[in-house]
Amino acid sequence: MNTRVLLLAVGLIAASAAPVFAADPTGTTPPPTLAPATPAVSLEERYTQLTEGWQFANDELVEVTTKVQAAAAEQPADVRWKIATAILQRSNGDAKGSVEALTALAKANPKNAEIQTQLGQSYMSTMSTDMGFMKMAGVASDAKAAWEAAIKIDPNHILARYALAQYQIQARKQGGFLFGSYGKAKGHGEALLKIPGDKARFWGLVTLGSIAAAQEEWAEMTKQYDAAEAVALTPALRNMVLSFHVNALVRDKKDAKAALPIVERAVASADADSCSIYYLRGSVRKELGQIPAAMEDFNLVLQKNPDAQNTRILLAECCESVGDKAAACTHYEEYVKRFPKGQRLGDAQKALKRLKTG
């Protein structure tokens, strides 16, 4: 089962610097987690999953697309299927087309908060690492405006609130106080906590944990992330917050030792096919110098996903560190072949030159 949760935060964090412990394969998203299989899912449930940001396995995507297309043909006046079609367009790699479709929908349905929420995410999905800072800032501003429009329509729209909070956090971290505000992010987090239900509470606690992590208030971060873990409605969301916690401890606090028991909690409850959790544990183990154990995790990931580019190069580095030059060269060469535009292409090429001439 390969269904994974893809949060609205993905697009937001894509606008920031790529973290050391990002998830494969892009290196720019928070670690995705596996979601539980759900047999005989209704069309309405699939619509909810689409709007909440699920990314489907290929067979499920075919099923969802078929259902949405049929519903759109049978119920042409129901705007939900037009929203779902635009989300699927984005999921299939046409983020610009999705922006155009959702912009037209927003004009025709000015009081629909879901359209504005999805429009903001589609704007963020158009971002790429080769954009200049000003262009990225402009796209982020367009997304922010869409999410603000969603909140104006529906102050209790959970994911629009969360997206705005993450925007404020990332903008503050990347651009300083002129671009973002931890105070505004906290306001959205507190607003989420006031919305009834564990779903809103979960996202509110994650928001407060993210703010604390950004401000390096480690005890507060752990308090909020632990509370979010306790109310997570699915194993996927639980593992997501565990991954956020681990990333902050390793990347920002530089405390891999504290991160290891947390990532072990995630592994204990992960789906057998979960690549991201094993990648994360391998990264922590590598940071701690537990190279053979890290290599076991990385090899497990590559068995399931040969295109996991961060895993590929980290395994190459592990092989090199234990003196296995042949295996290191194999993985570096595989990285160069598979990812000609990879973020660490230069590192792989330099390593190959060093190993072959040394």
Side-chain angles (χ1 to χ4, degrees):
M1 201 286 299
N2 297 314
T3 306
R4 297 186 298 179
V5 172
L6 183 64
L7 305 169
L8 283 174
V10 168
L12 290 160
I13 294 179
S16 66
V20 175
F21 287 83
D24 276 323
T26 65
T28 59
T29 67
T33 51
L34 291 176
T38 309
V41 181
S42 69
L43 176 60
E44 286 71 22
E45 288 176 294
R46 287 303 196 195
Y47 174 73
T48 298
Q49 291 170 352
L50 280 167
T51 58
E52 291 185 350
W54 288 50
Q55 185 182 27
F56 301 97
N58 290 336
D59 57 339
E60 292 175 317
L61 185 59
V62 171
E63 174 227 327
V64 173
T65 301
T66 300
K67 284 184 175 180
V68 168
Q69 289 174 342
E74 294 170 4
Q75 306 170 44
D78 194 330
V79 74
R80 290 180 301 168
W81 315 132
K82 296 176 182 178
I83 295 171
T85 298
I87 295 172
L88 288 168
Q89 191 173 7
R90 180 178 73 219
S91 299
N92 287 321
D94 186 9
K96 290 183 179 179
S98 181
V99 166
E100 293 173 0
L102 288 165
T103 298
L105 277 178
K107 290 180 180 178
N109 302 270
K111 295 184 179 181
N112 190 306
E114 192 60 58
I115 294 172
Q116 294 290 351
T117 301
Q118 297 303 326
L119 176 58
Q121 178 60 7
S122 289
Y123 271 124
M124 295 305 294
S125 296
T126 66
M127 282 195 177
S128 62
T129 55
D130 58 357
M131 279 184 176
F133 176 79
M134 293 306 296
K135 188 171 182 180
M136 292 178 74
V139 172
S141 180
D142 289 337
K144 175 174 174 282
W147 290 321
E148 288 174 338
I151 293 302
K152 188 175 181 180
I153 297 167
D154 178 9
N156 287 342
H157 197 292
I158 295 171
L159 292 184
R161 282 274 183 201
Y162 177 72
L164 278 171
Q166 291 299 319
Y167 170 89
Q168 293 293 343
I169 294 168
Q170 294 300 326
R172 178 66 177 82
K173 287 174 67 176
Q174 298 300 314
F177 68 92
L178 292 175
F179 295 90
S181 166
Y182 294 138
K184 290 182 179 179
K186 186 176 181 181
H188 289 300
E190 291 174 343
L192 284 166
L193 294 179
K194 293 177 182 177
I195 300 172
D198 281 345
K199 179 179 176 181
R201 181 168 180 77
F202 171 83
W203 291 110
L205 292 167
V206 170
T207 296
L208 297 181
S210 299
I211 296 167
Q215 295 182 303
E216 299 186 354
E217 297 174 353
W218 307 120
E220 180 67 14
M221 175 196 72
T222 293
K223 173 185 173 182
Q224 300 296 344
Y225 281 158
D226 283 352
E229 181 187 345
V231 299
L233 296 175
T234 67
L237 292 177
R238 178 177 177 271
N239 281 346
M240 184 212 75
V241 75
L242 286 168
S243 296
F244 282 4
H245 200 170
V246 169
N247 270 278
L249 287 171
V250 178
R251 184 187 64 230
D252 301 322
K253 194 183 179 187
K254 312 299 182 187
D255 190 356
K257 185 176 180 180
L260 187 58
I262 298 171
V263 79
E264 291 288 8
R265 291 210 304 269
V267 169
S269 62
D271 188 286
D273 289 335
S274 177
C275 290
S276 61
I277 294 300
Y278 291 101
Y279 163 77
L280 193 63
R281 186 173 67 176
S283 301
V284 173
R285 285 172 161 176
K286 181 175 183 289
E287 189 76 9
L288 289 170
Q290 300 175 4
I291 304 303
M295 292 171 68
E296 289 180 7
D297 283 332
F298 293 148
N299 276 311
L300 183 61
V301 173
L302 290 177
Q303 287 172 15
K304 302 175 187 300
N305 179 17
D307 286 326
Q309 64 173 289
N310 289 333
T311 300
R312 179 73 64 181
I313 200 159
L314 290 181
L315 180 56
E317 290 173 349
C318 286
C319 291
E320 187 176 358
S321 71
V322 298
D324 191 345
K325 292 185 177 181
C329 283
T330 295
H331 289 298
Y332 282 129
E333 288 170 346
E334 197 67 18
Y335 184 95
V336 171
K337 181 178 73 175
R338 289 177 180 268
F339 316 112
K341 295 183 179 180
Q343 291 182 334
R344 298 196 60 188
L345 178 63
D347 293 337
Q349 291 171 328
K350 288 178 183 177
L352 282 169
K353 184 176 180 181
R354 179 178 63 249
L355 289 169
K356 291 182 176 181
T357 60

